[in-house]
Amino acid sequence: MNQLSSVTPVANGHAVTPSARAPEPARCSLPLGSAMICGGARNREDRAPDSKVLTGCAPGQDVWFIRSGILRLQRHAYDGHRQILSLFFPGEIVGFDRQFGGEISIEAATQSSLCRIDRRMFQTLVDEDSTLRADFFRQKQDQLERLHWLTWSLAALGPDERLCALLALSTRIMPYQPLSDGTGVLSVQLPRKDIADLLGTTVESISRIVHRLAGARIIEIIDPAHFRLLDLPGLAARGQIDSIFEKMTFGLANRRSQLEHVAAPAATDPVCLCGRQAGLLTPVNDRRAASDILV
Amino acid sequence: MNQLSSVTPVANGHAVTPSARAPEPARCSLPLGSAMICGGARNREDRAPDSKVLTGCAPGQDVWFIRSGILRLQRHAYDGHRQILSLFFPGEIVGFDRQFGGEISIEAATQSSLCRIDRRMFQTLVDEDSTLRADFFRQKQDQLERLHWLTWSLAALGPDERLCALLALSTRIMPYQPLSDGTGVLSVQLPRKDIADLLGTTVESISRIVHRLAGARIIEIIDPAHFRLLDLPGLAARGQIDSIFEKMTFGLANRRSQLEHVAAPAATDPVCLCGRQAGLLTPVNDRRAASDILV
DNA sequence: CGCTTAATTGACACCAGTCAATACCCGTGG
DNA sequence: CCACGGGTATTGACTGGTGTCAATTAAGCG
């Protein structure tokens, strides 16, 4: 237990790139297809948890690139019931699709850092750059697959199985510290309420299930947001995602590590690469000009 | 009751284009974006209910265009439980996306008529023709929206509300004969089991709900597959789709009527139009050559 | 130290799934 | 014409899980 507390600090800070929290990194370049998204400080926006990113009402002239944090796509029923339809993770683009109805919206689930992209600019890029298009397609496919899973599990699985699946998946999308004995410590960044609304259940049930899993020696509760997963394969099996685990998490983990590679050595050189085609990357020193290519 | 029986014949025949059942129409041209899909008889395939169209295992080198009928996207749990994730309707393209996992598959839910399209050919067309791409995008958007609805309703709505929503939506995707008094007769083409597996419930519950609705004078049961909807707006409201009803059914009804216009006057002239860009439609008399453009 | 918020635990009712039996429809074949 | 059989729909009785409501505890914060 005490040895675990030495690991937990990973949980602090926000989503994926702790370095982004540093005061004004001022410039960054983010990979997307063969293009680089160059967001100057003026194109970046930090969002606090529960703040709105896109609502159905607002025209939403912008597309958003997620630098860090987790966004949630949600819809409310007449009685106020909220259901989370999907989560969006670092490296993904949101807001390009058709305007949602008035009842659907995207909000920040955790502290997030976004990068604003002009809609028409992005449209143009997608039309011109087939590599970007392919990459964007792949994102859509990933998101679709996640939605398929959620839909299926809501109807075919029990709440406990759904939570097991989520915990297993979380090892790839949230801070997870593997230990030498095969177990690992997971930092759950999603509020309990969000987990409940995503899995179509209640916070009370989540709490009961968590403690039930702890009783069955499948997990160990460090604190309400940190669990030690004693049997990750077992979790995946209970959630019936063992056969698709790799496939579902591949794209996610990929984009995440890509972002980390970019964000990590950010303290070295102010040069920002921008290009629209593979092999045609253009080094740009003036960050204002660079950020204008892809607002 | 007797006046209703004079209406029900609409229910017979299969899905949407009864004329397609005629012996060997041999040629047809179907609109998709600015292109026309010209399926000669050898590219067409009729599928019986429950026959497989795409499985995760099979490489599936082909893309399918739905001429008539309803296809279902489904997945099985370990215990055999089946969940239908989505339905596909006439005018839509399936099979272009990433290969599914082994557990997911597409089958015919009703008697269906499909049109086989070579994958690479379609890929090329999508890359070249931005209008087709836009149309294809719109299809994907529609499908995504339906999936969003299903996901949301599985968690936020009760089984009865889900059925109400499905009935309301069905007036746009299944034979529906409006009557002068504002009511109308709906022919449900989906087997009871499919309805249950789509809405995440059981056939027993479906039966109970149907009779409950009849008791509440919201519908009238003509026979297990034909209902007289006494209060369509009420149904939509119960299903909480009243505010998005038009939006959700627009694309579907659109494609359906498009297909009917094409299929209806099929007995006139053997000329088959094929073209890749708007305004560049090329009349082709040799149907073999025509069908080769887009196999 | 008292406030607010989140997490937990308990008691309870009710809905919906399960299982089993029956009714119904629609072929076939006698 | 009726008897038979297979599939589907319906109905009933029962039970278990899960939501709901309420109370308690724990934790963060001024």
Side-chain angles (χ1 to χ4, degrees):
Chain A
M1 192 65 168
N2 40 4
Q3 64 178 3
L4 287 174
S5 60
S6 65
V7 175
T8 44
V10 192
N12 297 0
H14 62 303
V16 173
T17 61
S19 67
R21 201 81 200 105
E24 275 307 333
R27 49 105 198 68
C28 66
S29 65
L30 303 169
L32 185 69
S34 62
M36 284 279 177
I37 292 186
C38 302
R42 70 189 172 94
N43 299 319
R44 233 175 314 135
E45 281 191 30
D46 284 357
R47 295 303 178 96
D50 300 333
S51 65
K52 299 196 192 320
V53 176
L54 288 170
T55 66
C57 319
Q61 273 310 328
D62 294 308
V63 181
W64 297 93
F65 179 88
I66 307 176
R67 299 182 63 237
S68 68
I70 300 177
L71 267 42
R72 56 173 188 242
L73 176 70
Q74 56 190 9
R75 180 176 165 179
H76 291 269
Y78 287 159
D79 61 5
H81 229 87
R82 182 187 69 166
Q83 173 62 20
I84 295 179
L85 299 172
S86 187
L87 295 176
F88 298 108
F89 301 96
E92 298 190 315
I93 298 268
V94 300
F96 186 57
D97 324 272
R98 173 192 308 177
Q99 313 307 334
F100 307 111
E103 17 227 310
I104 215 164
S105 64
I106 296 184
E107 291 182 1
T110 69
Q111 180 69 256
S112 306
S113 171
L114 309 177
C115 190
R116 181 197 302 272
I117 305 175
D118 179 69
R119 166 175 244 95
R120 268 172 306 180
M121 189 68 81
F122 187 69
Q123 175 73 265
T124 307
L125 273 187
V126 164
D127 283 339
E128 290 178 357
D129 186 340
S130 69
T131 306
L132 168 63
R133 193 158 66 228
D135 245 50
F136 187 56
F137 261 10
R138 202 159 315 142
Q139 273 196 20
K140 289 286 167 198
Q141 285 289 344
D142 280 1
Q143 292 166 8
L144 184 61
E145 203 151 330
R146 298 204 298 264
L147 192 55
H148 276 162
W149 171 78
L150 181 58
T151 310
W152 171 76
S153 68
L154 281 172
L157 266 46
D160 45 352
E161 298 171 300
R162 296 201 288 270
L163 182 63
C164 287
L166 181 64
L167 287 178
L169 291 175
S170 295
T171 60
R172 304 296 178 92
I173 57 184
M174 292 175 186
Y176 179 68
Q177 193 69 248
L179 301 181
S180 54
D181 59 353
T183 69
V185 176
L186 175 70
S187 300
V188 180
Q189 307 189 291
L190 245 35
R192 270 297 219 285
K193 180 78 175 125
D194 282 0
I195 297 177
D197 287 349
L198 175 68
L199 301 183
T201 179
T202 61
V203 284
E204 291 94 334
S205 287
I206 296 291
S207 178
R208 275 186 256 266
I209 295 169
V210 164
H211 286 264
R212 207 180 301 153
L213 291 177
R217 313 253 91 222
I218 299 172
I219 67 173
E220 210 172 80
I221 304 174
I222 300 171
D223 69 59
H226 298 94
F227 309 122
R228 179 172 170 207
L229 309 187
L230 302 177
D231 181 15
L232 183 48
L235 278 177
R238 270 170 188 261
Q240 303 202 23
I241 55 168
D242 40 339
S243 66
I244 56 173
F245 185 55
E246 290 302 327
K247 201 178 57 142
M248 276 199 71
T249 57
F250 181 74
L252 248 25
N254 235 10
R255 275 188 282 278
R256 178 181 161 182
S257 68
Q258 254 189 343
L259 274 182
E260 276 168 352
H261 280 113
V262 172
T268 55
D269 198 303
V271 168
C272 180
L273 294 182
C274 282
R276 294 188 182 182
Q277 298 193 335
L280 265 179
L281 295 176
T282 316
V284 179
N285 279 316
D286 177 22
R287 81 183 57 121
R288 174 137 336 185
S291 63
D292 280 339
I293 290 183
L294 189 64
V295 176
Chain B
M1 192 63 169
N2 41 3
Q3 64 176 4
L4 285 175
S5 59
S6 64
V7 175
T8 44
V10 193
N12 298 359
H14 62 304
V16 173
T17 62
S19 67
R21 203 81 199 104
E24 275 307 331
R27 47 105 198 68
C28 67
S29 63
L30 303 168
L32 185 70
S34 63
M36 284 279 178
I37 292 186
C38 303
R42 70 192 172 92
N43 298 319
R44 232 176 314 137
E45 280 191 30
D46 284 358
R47 294 305 179 94
D50 299 333
S51 65
K52 301 198 191 318
V53 176
L54 289 171
T55 67
C57 320
Q61 272 309 328
D62 293 306
V63 181
W64 298 94
F65 178 89
I66 307 177
R67 299 182 64 238
S68 67
I70 301 177
L71 267 43
R72 56 172 188 244
L73 176 70
Q74 57 190 7
R75 180 176 165 181
H76 291 269
Y78 287 158
D79 60 6
H81 229 89
R82 182 187 70 166
Q83 173 62 18
I84 295 179
L85 299 173
S86 186
L87 295 177
F88 298 108
F89 301 96
E92 297 191 315
I93 298 267
V94 300
F96 187 58
D97 324 272
R98 173 192 307 177
Q99 314 306 333
F100 307 112
E103 18 227 308
I104 216 165
S105 64
I106 296 184
E107 290 182 1
T110 69
Q111 181 69 257
S112 306
S113 171
L114 308 177
C115 190
R116 182 197 301 272
I117 305 175
D118 179 68
R119 165 174 245 96
R120 268 172 306 179
M121 190 68 81
F122 187 71
Q123 175 72 266
T124 306
L125 273 188
V126 165
D127 282 339
E128 291 178 356
D129 186 341
S130 68
T131 307
L132 168 63
R133 194 159 66 229
D135 244 50
F136 187 57
F137 260 9
R138 204 159 314 142
Q139 274 196 20
K140 290 284 167 200
Q141 285 289 345
D142 280 0
Q143 291 166 9
L144 184 61
E145 203 152 329
R146 298 203 298 264
L147 191 56
H148 276 161
W149 171 77
L150 181 59
T151 310
W152 170 76
S153 69
L154 280 173
L157 267 45
D160 46 352
E161 299 171 298
R162 296 202 288 271
L163 183 62
C164 287
L166 181 63
L167 287 177
L169 291 175
S170 295
T171 60
R172 303 297 179 91
I173 57 183
M174 291 173 187
Y176 180 67
Q177 192 70 250
L179 301 180
S180 54
D181 60 353
T183 69
V185 175
L186 175 71
S187 300
V188 180
Q189 307 189 291
L190 246 37
R192 270 298 219 285
K193 181 78 175 121
D194 281 0
I195 298 177
D197 287 349
L198 175 68
L199 301 183
T201 178
T202 62
V203 285
E204 292 93 334
S205 287
I206 297 290
S207 179
R208 275 187 255 267
I209 295 168
V210 164
H211 286 264
R212 207 180 301 152
L213 292 177
R217 313 252 90 224
I218 298 172
I219 67 173
E220 210 171 78
I221 303 174
I222 299 171
D223 70 59
H226 298 94
F227 308 123
R228 180 171 169 207
L229 309 187
L230 302 177
D231 182 15
L232 183 49
L235 277 176
R238 271 170 189 263
Q240 302 203 24
I241 55 168
D242 41 338
S243 66
I244 56 173
F245 185 55
E246 290 301 326
K247 202 179 56 142
M248 275 199 70
T249 56
F250 181 74
L252 249 23
N254 235 11
R255 274 188 283 276
R256 178 181 160 182
S257 68
Q258 253 189 345
L259 274 183
E260 277 169 351
H261 281 114
V262 172
T268 55
D269 198 301
V271 168
C272 181
L273 295 182
C274 281
R276 293 185 182 184
Q277 298 195 334
L280 265 181
L281 296 177
T282 315
V284 180
N285 279 317
D286 177 21
R287 79 184 59 119
R288 174 140 333 187
S291 64
D292 280 338
I293 289 183
L294 188 62
V295 171

